Amino acid sequence: MTRALIKNVEVDSPAYEAGFTRGCYITSINGEPLRDIIDWRWHACEDNVSLGYIDTDGDEGVVELERLDEQDWGIEFDDVIFDEVKLCKNACKFCFMAQLPKGMRGSLSLRDDDFRLSFLTGTFVTLTNLEDDEIKRIIEQRISPLRVSLHAISDDVRRSLIGKNHARGIQALEALLEGGIEFDAQIVLCPSINDGDELVNTLEWAYAQQGIKTVGIVPLGFTSHQSRFCKSFDEAADAKAVIDAITPYQRRSIAERDCCWVHAADEFYRNAFPDDLDANLPDASMYGDFSMFEDGIGIIRSSIDELKEAYTTPDAQRLSVSLRESDTHLHLIAGKAMSPYAAQILDESAMGTTMDLLFVKNTFFGGNVNVTGLLTGADITRAIIAHKKMYASDDTEAAKSSHIYLLPDVIFNVDDVTLDGMSAKQISTDSGADVLIVPSNPLDCIHRLISQF
């Protein structure tokens, strides 16, 4: 029996009036099992519901609740999944979770493949573990849109990438598309496997499916803790070939559907046009609502535009004056993915004389991992220590200034620790430097610094 733990009950709500409190469980709704928050939303839309429960004393029962004018029931649950999270049963050769160093927190290597989390939180799923009754449920409850890991369409290529369950993913996808479910699709592109002709074949198939609303193409990411891969699309010619392959589909979809439809991750543009990135990067209008931001699509365009705006504002000029008057210099920690465009924008701005970027190499993961969000405390600490040696001499003006290292909040989780479990305080202690956590958004960062200085 599944049980939904109640985290909070709103005062004077129907649930409150019925006697529900924090710590009670809901076990069913209108006689149906309550598997997740989707079930709750689906069955609780009427103004009368029958709730099975277990109270804080362990007593079980059923209670009828009534509300007026679609009033909220007043129940906040502890989680969105009330039974077990569906785990991935594939053997994807490019799986990043399988490339993590040993000894990391178990939550970081949890390989979920749950369509409910795809709908609720935007994760990508392969659909290879879907049962027929789950397909029926998705269609009946209109659990849409979902995000699907497509990767390739040819049977042999999918098998080589995903493993023996590869065919089920396409079978489920086609059934759901026929049932009216919409999808955002992702392709993890692996050199000499699903690029080239296979990429074209996959895009051609996907474009013919009206329910596939967008496609995002991300390059293979690999760490040094595996032996299968040693390259991705880092060479300019390889990255540009991918951009050239998707350009006809972008033009076609803009003409026929008034949207870009297929997007290449920022790394492709950064690697293809290292000397003139801004001019060759798609305009912000091409990214729509930036819905693929977490997949590395649109981050650089957004960053360039936001950095230019933030660092040229009157607030930035006032902050720069304040920092000079207090003889304080700021060093913003960043992953190497932001080099060199971010440094150039900063150098040419009002902040250029009082703040610089300290690009940190990711030795913890190694491979081609270079984004700011995956930096660890140990790598940041080593970079700060090495950087401090540059102005350690008492004969330099820099040595007399106050130096503060800015740590973007994207580096820390909800518990305010890095991927390797370090807090900002520990980074400060181990490096012997003053540090400050700042918002990752440039404008918010400037406002945070103004309040500080």
Side-chain angles (χ1 to χ4, degrees):
M1 177 176 64
T2 58
R3 304 189 304 176
L5 176 62
I6 295 179
K7 179 181 179 181
N8 187 50
V9 177
E10 183 182 349
V11 175
D12 296 331
S13 67
Y16 180 86
E17 296 295 339
F20 285 103
T21 62
R22 174 187 175 93
C24 293
Y25 291 92
I26 303 296
T27 57
S28 66
I29 180 168
N30 298 332
E32 299 291 335
L34 197 59
R35 296 161 291 189
D36 45 59
I37 197 71
I38 302 172
D39 271 342
W40 171 257
R41 295 171 181 173
W42 180 258
H43 292 290
C45 61
E46 302 295 334
D47 289 333
N48 294 274
V49 295
S50 175
L51 300 183
Y53 67 86
I54 301 175
D55 64 22
T56 53
D57 293 324
D59 295 329
E60 300 183 29
V62 177
V63 65
E64 303 291 330
L65 265 65
E66 182 178 352
R67 64 181 178 179
L68 299 175
D69 300 323
E70 297 185 352
Q71 176 187 9
D72 191 280
W73 293 112
I75 294 176
E76 180 185 356
F77 292 105
D78 185 65
D79 202 351
V80 295
I81 302 296
F82 307 146
D83 56 9
E84 298 294 325
V85 172
K86 292 175 65 66
L87 300 180
C88 180
K89 62 180 183 179
N90 300 314
C92 298
K93 62 173 57 178
F94 54 81
C95 178
F96 194 80
M97 297 296 187
Q99 303 180 43
L100 297 179
K102 293 181 179 180
M104 297 194 70
R105 298 191 302 274
S107 59
L108 296 174
S109 57
L110 177 66
R111 297 197 301 161
D112 71 84
D113 200 15
D114 197 315
F115 71 89
R116 299 170 298 180
L117 292 177
S118 179
F119 176 68
L120 294 168
T121 66
T123 59
F124 282 93
V125 290
T126 65
L127 306 176
T128 58
N129 61 0
L130 278 191
E131 303 293 339
D132 288 343
D133 61 339
E134 291 174 318
I135 293 177
K136 292 179 181 178
R137 179 198 175 188
I138 292 171
I139 294 173
E140 178 188 359
Q141 294 187 345
R142 311 307 302 168
I143 302 176
S144 178
L146 297 175
R147 309 187 89 185
V148 62
S149 294
L150 181 58
H151 306 320
I153 193 57
S154 298
D155 188 76
D156 57 335
V157 179
R158 284 183 58 81
R159 176 181 286 275
S160 70
L161 284 170
I162 299 174
K164 64 181 182 179
N165 301 308
H166 67 97
R168 179 57 176 171
I170 295 298
Q171 292 169 0
L173 175 58
E174 290 178 333
L176 291 170
L177 286 167
E178 186 176 351
I181 303 302
E182 295 183 342
F183 289 88
D184 297 311
Q186 182 189 72
I187 297 172
V188 175
L189 209 60
C190 302
S192 303
I193 299 178
N194 60 338
D195 57 348
D197 291 342
E198 180 60 23
L199 175 59
V200 173
N201 291 339
T202 303
L203 291 177
E204 196 67 30
W205 179 87
Y207 194 79
Q209 316 305 314
Q210 291 298 314
I212 296 182
K213 297 302 182 182
T214 60
V215 177
I217 303 174
V218 300
L220 165 72
F222 62 91
T223 75
S224 60
H225 303 274
Q226 53 81 47
S227 57
R228 286 179 172 174
F229 300 103
C230 61
K231 63 171 291 186
S232 186
F233 294 87
D234 302 321
E235 298 297 325
D238 296 334
K240 191 172 184 303
V242 176
I243 296 172
D244 291 342
I246 72 170
T247 298
Y249 292 93
Q250 291 178 325
R251 292 172 178 167
R252 179 180 172 185
S253 61
I254 290 172
E256 297 177 355
R257 303 181 181 180
D258 196 30
C259 69
C260 191
W261 187 69
V262 60
H263 303 268
D266 298 351
E267 292 98 319
F268 291 108
Y269 293 96
R270 188 191 65 233
N271 296 338
F273 309 105
D275 299 323
D276 197 11
L277 178 59
D278 193 3
N280 289 281
L281 202 63
D283 185 76
S285 61
M286 294 283 281
Y287 294 104
D289 60 357
F290 286 84
S291 60
M292 296 184 177
F293 204 77
E294 292 184 0
D295 307 305
I297 295 175
I299 292 180
I300 290 182
R301 167 49 65 202
S302 177
S303 295
I304 288 177
D305 294 347
E306 290 176 352
L307 287 169
K308 287 181 178 179
E309 179 184 3
Y311 293 156
T312 57
T313 60
D315 283 343
Q317 295 173 0
R318 287 194 292 270
L319 174 61
S320 184
V321 171
S322 177
L323 290 170
R324 284 196 297 270
E325 289 176 348
S326 62
D327 201 16
T328 302
H329 201 90
L330 307 177
H331 310 284
L332 178 61
I333 298 295
K336 288 184 174 293
M338 294 185 68
S339 175
Y341 72 88
Q344 180 180 352
I345 293 172
L346 181 57
D347 288 343
E348 296 172 352
S349 74
M351 295 294 298
T353 59
T354 52
M355 185 166 76
D356 57 38
L357 282 97
L358 175 55
F359 296 109
V360 178
K361 182 179 179 180
N362 197 319
T363 61
F364 185 86
F365 289 110
N368 68 343
V369 179
N370 58 10
V371 296
T372 302
L374 291 181
L375 288 176
T376 60
D379 282 337
I380 292 170
T381 298
R382 280 192 292 269
I384 292 176
I385 292 173
H387 189 259
K388 286 172 59 182
K389 292 180 180 178
M390 296 173 55
Y391 56 84
S393 172
D394 292 336
D395 296 330
T396 63
E397 287 297 321
K400 302 174 185 178
S401 302
S402 297
H403 293 264
I404 300 176
Y405 292 85
L406 308 179
L407 309 176
D409 55 12
V410 71
I411 295 171
F412 300 90
N413 68 5
V414 294
D415 298 317
D416 292 326
V417 295
T418 60
L419 286 167
D420 56 346
M422 292 183 67
S423 65
K425 181 178 180 180
Q426 186 176 352
I427 292 174
S428 175
T429 299
D430 292 356
S431 65
D434 292 327
V435 303
L436 178 67
I437 298 178
V438 295
S440 298
N441 178 277
L443 280 172
D444 292 340
C445 179
I446 293 294
H447 294 153
R448 170 71 175 84
L449 292 172
I450 286 176
S451 68
Q452 184 75 21
F453 300 101

